[in-house]
Structures are given as structure tokens and as C-alpha cells.
Amino acid sequence: MMKDLQLQPKRAASRLFSKLTTLLTAAALTLTPMGAHAQQGGAPRLLRDAEIEQLLRDYTRPILRAAGLEKQNIQVVIINNASFNAFVADGRRIFVNHGALMQSQTPNQLIGVLAHETGHLAGGHLSKLRERMAQAQTQMVVAMLLGLGAMAAGARGGNSNGAAGNIGAAAVAAPQAMMMNTMLSYQRQQEENADRAGVKFLNQTGQSSKGMYETFQRFGADSLFAARGSDPYMMSHPMPRERVAALEELAKSSPYWDKKDDPALILRHELMRAKTAGFMEQRDTVLRRYPPSDTSLPAQYARAIATYRHGDLRVAVEQIDALIKAQPNNPYFYELRGQALLEGGKPNEAIAPLRRAVQLSNNAPLIEMMLGQALVASDNKAYTDEAIRILRAAIARESEAPAGYMQLAMAYGRKGELAEADLASAQAAFLRGDNKTARDLASRAKARFAVGTPGWVKADDIIAAKMPGKN
């Protein structure tokens, strides 16, 4: 009987903190770091795109500078989820759902969300929240043990339904409610602090905070509360009317309240939204959102992507060529042409547009990896050395992309350099979180390298590493 009583507080604590992680600040939503390995199993998949990531870097760079975080290598990571959500989880990354990209109608709205999340980072809210949760758990368990002790005393006295039992039951329930209220109060304070910090950063960079207010006003509306009570952003960023009113007063006091987004930035933002729609939505949905009657560049972009993904490659290439004609120095239109041809089984034809995309994008690593893939997939073995050189350069600047290592492994395999091929394959498995495969491949690579060489050392590091994910 005592064994069961000792287990119950732990179970109750587990239930309480399950609720807390749903209701608390976005910074607390994901306490386990998310990386490339998180794409495996049931965890949310991460999305990679050179164009969108560059836009998000341009959005966050001045804000991070104002927050004193420009040297912290803060990254914005895109999650494959259609709901509106953004959060911080590990002190060095801002996670944003692709749904937030789609639903932010102006650059300023998305910049406002990023400024708010930067406020969480600058305030160290994640580590502080973890400390509070740990303190609350300790206090709650002690209080519940005392309450359960009272219940046990009542049971021993044959009075489990009497006053002692009732007092004990109340003592068990009270700590849960008290700690929940305490944590929610602390979370609201953090959110308000992040609001103020976000507005401050926007003011320091000469940007309007109207977009932040518009977004939070939308999520604070009573109709949204009723219709979308389970929305992740609503659950993690509670929007009482008082908070929205305080944000409105603060934002409208800024001299930049009426400042408009730059037209060139608006176009980039609309191209980003169109690209996201083209890749993430069904073709019929894309055509409803961007009908043929819409001749804008973003609409053409979305339809071209949808056509190549769901329709005729020849027609898609014609549509992409029209985009290139409209903006001949846009690297991402050339990237799209190369990607469509590569995925359409024409790697040789994909090489030229991808070379141009790499040149115009100042050697964007993700585009370099696609070029390396086209070179490896071509029937010209003379491209192999070039592919290895390009892929190694890309990996040096983008070290957490498994696809780059897989293409490098294929290139080394084509040359018969099996030790390097095994090592690259092991590194790809390592990043995917496939620990067993990574160790097996690294062991084989280590046996093929001379003892003490750089390849041998890297393989040994993989074998010895304690990796998250599958074992």
C-alpha cells in the first residue's frame, strides 16, 4: 500500500507538467533540442530552402543586432506544420511553422513575430522557465506527499471517508492548482516582457511594430478564441485583452508606427508565400489561391512550382523560363529550373541553371548541394571531381545537412574511394539520428583508413559519440 502511495505523486506531477507544457510559453513547448535527427520518427519534419532561409536571415539580422545577439549564431528553423506557430526552444534557434510564413500577410507581421521571439531569447526566458518548473515540481511533490500522508493516516484509523481523508484529498489537489496558477502567471509576465523587448528592438532598427500588434490582435480576438482554442500559438501565447491593449499603446507610441514595408521586400515576401504554397499545397488549392487570371510574379511562381510537381515538366520549364525573363538575376528561379529538371530525370540539363543559381546566390550551400547532386547523377564521370569539390565546400558551411553527405558518399563511391564513401555515409546517418548505421559505417571506414589520419579520427569520433535518436 505504501508503495502505491509513493508512486501516485509522481504520476500526478507528470500529469500536471504535461498540461503545463501545453499551456506555457512557446519557449517551453519543445524542451528537447530539435535538429536533423528530429526529422525521423514522429517528430516534426524540418524544411530547408535557400531562398526562404535567406529572407528570414534578412528579417532577423537587424533585430538580433539590436538585441546584442548578432554574434550568437541564432538560426531560424522552418517546421513542416501548417498551423501558425513560432517559438524558441534551446537558446540558439527560433522555430517557425511554414503556416506562419503563409499567414503573415506582410513582412512587418512576420518580423514582429520574430522580434517577439527574440525578446524571449534576449531575456533568457527558456532557462528561467525551466528553473521555475523544477522548483514548482519539487514544491508540489512535497505538498502532495503531506496530503497523501494525511489520507493514509485517515485510512489507518478506519476513517478514509472522514475529515482526515477529505483534508488529505484537498491537500493533494490544492498544490496542483496553486502551481498551475503560479506558472501561468510567470508565463504571462514573460510574454509581456517579450512584447516590450520586441517593440524596443523594432524601434531601434527603425521598423514599425504595427505588424506585431496586428498579429497578436488577430489571435486575441474573442471569435478566434472560440473557434481555434487549440491553436498552438494561441495556447502558448495567451492573449488576454489587457495584454493586447498594452501592446497597442506601446506600439502606437513608436515614431515608426506608420512606416511602410519597402516594396522590394514586399515582393520577396510574396514570392516566399507563393513558393511555400506551391510546394506545400495541392495543385487545385494553389490554383484557387493563385488563379490564371492573376498575372503577378508571385502567382506565376506558385503555378510554375505546382505544375512541375503535379503536371507536365515541359510546361513547367516554359513557365519557369518566363520567370527568369522577368527577373534574369534571381538565383532562385534558376534553382527552380534546375530542380525541376533534376527531379524530372534530366540531370545533365539541370547542371547549367544550377551553376547559374550558385553564382547568383553567392554560393548558397543548399544550392551547391543540388548542383553536386546533378553532377553525380549525370552520365559524365568527368564531373565527379568537381562534384566532390563543390559538395565539400557546401558541407563546410552547412554541416548539418545529411543530403550533402549522401551525395558526397556517392561521388566518392564513383571514384572507388571506399573509405571516404563510408565516412560520408556514416556522417549522413549520424545527422539523421540512425546511430547503429552510423557506427557500422564508421567502423568500416575506420578499418580502411590508415591509423591516425584525419578520416580515421573522424570515423573514431562517430563511433565514440553519444548520439540522440535511435540506438
Side-chain angles (χ1 to χ4, degrees):
M1 183 64 180
M2 287 302 297
K3 182 177 181 181
D4 290 339
L5 286 174
Q6 290 169 353
L7 289 174
Q8 286 182 28
K10 296 178 182 179
R11 292 170 182 162
S14 176
R15 287 195 297 270
L16 171 63
F17 286 98
S18 175
K19 295 177 182 177
L20 283 175
T21 53
T22 301
L23 293 172
L24 290 179
T25 178
L29 285 180
T30 308
L31 298 182
T32 302
M34 294 180 63
H37 66 274
Q39 298 181 39
Q40 304 300 314
R45 287 195 303 115
L46 307 184
L47 300 177
R48 302 300 311 273
D49 181 80
E51 178 179 12
I52 297 175
E53 290 178 7
Q54 183 58 54
L55 180 62
L56 294 175
R57 280 193 293 270
D58 291 344
Y59 283 170
T60 55
R61 188 179 296 113
I63 296 170
L64 293 172
R65 187 181 303 118
L69 298 174
E70 60 181 322
K71 296 182 180 179
Q72 301 302 312
N73 193 31
I74 305 296
Q75 298 178 327
V76 182
V77 179
I78 308 166
I79 296 179
N80 183 12
N81 190 297
S83 65
F84 192 112
N85 200 12
F87 55 92
V88 295
D90 59 4
R92 66 184 184 89
R93 286 176 286 192
I94 299 173
F95 293 90
V96 56
N97 287 0
H98 82 257
L101 306 181
M102 285 289 299
Q103 295 179 49
S104 294
Q105 298 176 347
T106 66
N108 190 241
Q109 288 181 358
L110 185 54
I111 291 170
V113 170
L114 296 171
H116 171 88
E117 299 305 331
T118 301
H120 282 302
L121 290 175
H125 292 172
L126 181 61
S127 60
K128 293 177 182 177
L129 183 63
R130 282 172 170 162
E131 292 175 4
R132 284 295 184 101
M133 290 181 74
Q135 293 169 4
Q137 184 176 20
T138 301
Q139 295 167 7
M140 186 194 71
V141 170
V142 170
M144 290 181 67
L145 282 171
L146 293 174
L148 288 165
M151 293 173 66
R156 285 196 299 270
N159 193 26
S160 59
N161 294 321
N166 292 336
I167 292 172
V172 170
Q176 297 187 46
M178 180 183 68
M179 295 307 169
M180 180 72 79
N181 289 336
T182 298
M183 295 303 296
L184 289 175
S185 175
Y186 182 67
Q187 181 252 347
R188 285 192 292 269
Q189 180 183 349
Q190 282 193 335
E191 291 299 328
E192 291 167 2
N193 290 342
D195 290 346
R196 288 192 291 270
V199 172
K200 175 185 175 182
F201 301 149
L202 291 168
N203 287 340
Q204 289 177 342
T205 56
Q207 300 183 85
S208 173
S209 48
K210 180 183 291 187
M212 179 194 293
Y213 167 69
E214 290 172 343
T215 299
F216 288 2
Q217 182 189 42
R218 177 158 54 100
F219 281 95
D222 289 342
S223 59
L224 186 63
F225 230 112
R228 300 182 63 185
S230 61
D231 188 285
Y233 204 73
M234 193 66 247
M235 295 294 286
S236 59
H237 292 70
M239 300 288 173
R241 292 179 180 178
E242 295 80 5
R243 179 185 162 198
V244 176
L247 177 59
E248 179 181 17
E249 181 179 358
L250 186 64
K252 286 186 175 180
S253 68
S254 168
Y256 306 105
W257 169 258
D258 289 320
K259 186 174 181 179
K260 305 297 183 182
D261 288 319
D262 181 82
L265 194 63
I266 293 174
L267 178 58
R268 289 180 64 192
H269 188 85
E270 287 304 315
L271 288 171
M272 175 269 292
R273 296 178 72 202
K275 187 174 197 176
T276 303
F279 276 108
M280 304 307 300
E281 296 180 335
Q282 294 297 318
R283 187 181 185 188
D284 290 347
T285 304
V286 174
L287 292 178
R288 285 195 299 270
R289 189 186 298 274
Y290 298 99
S293 58
D294 185 348
T295 60
S296 67
L297 201 64
Q300 294 179 57
Y301 199 18
R303 290 196 297 268
I305 294 169
T307 300
Y308 114 71
R309 290 186 62 241
H310 303 289
D312 188 306
L313 177 62
R314 181 186 61 81
V315 174
V317 170
E318 291 176 356
Q319 293 175 335
I320 297 168
D321 286 343
L323 294 170
I324 293 174
K325 184 177 180 180
Q327 284 194 348
N329 292 319
N330 188 322
Y332 309 112
F333 291 165
Y334 291 97
E335 178 195 20
L336 180 61
R337 193 181 201 279
Q339 183 174 355
L341 291 166
L342 179 60
E343 294 181 7
K346 300 179 180 295
N348 289 316
E349 295 179 38
I351 292 172
L354 288 173
R355 286 193 198 280
R356 183 63 173 154
V358 167
Q359 179 187 27
L360 291 172
S361 67
N362 194 27
N363 301 317
L366 293 180
I367 303 179
E368 284 185 320
M369 290 179 192
M370 192 181 298
L371 172 57
Q373 181 180 355
L375 293 169
V376 171
S378 74
D379 52 13
N380 189 344
K381 292 186 178 181
Y383 287 143
T384 304
D385 286 336
E386 181 186 4
I388 292 173
R389 175 181 58 79
I390 290 172
L391 288 166
R392 288 180 67 88
I395 289 169
R397 288 176 290 124
E398 183 63 62
S399 60
E400 296 186 0
Y405 285 104
M406 284 305 303
Q407 295 304 318
L408 185 61
M410 293 174 65
Y412 278 125
R414 173 178 279 191
K415 287 193 68 175
E417 297 183 14
L418 301 184
E420 292 286 2
D422 283 341
L423 178 59
S425 295
Q427 289 168 311
F430 180 94
L431 291 171
R432 292 195 305 269
D434 187 349
N435 301 350
K436 184 180 185 304
T437 300
R439 292 190 184 105
D440 290 345
L441 290 168
S443 296
R444 195 166 72 184
K446 183 179 176 181
R448 285 174 164 158
F449 282 113
V451 176
T453 59
W456 185 93
V457 172
K458 290 179 182 177
D460 187 62
D461 287 343
I462 293 174
I463 295 169
K466 294 182 179 179
M467 297 175 286
K470 299 176 183 177
N471 292 311

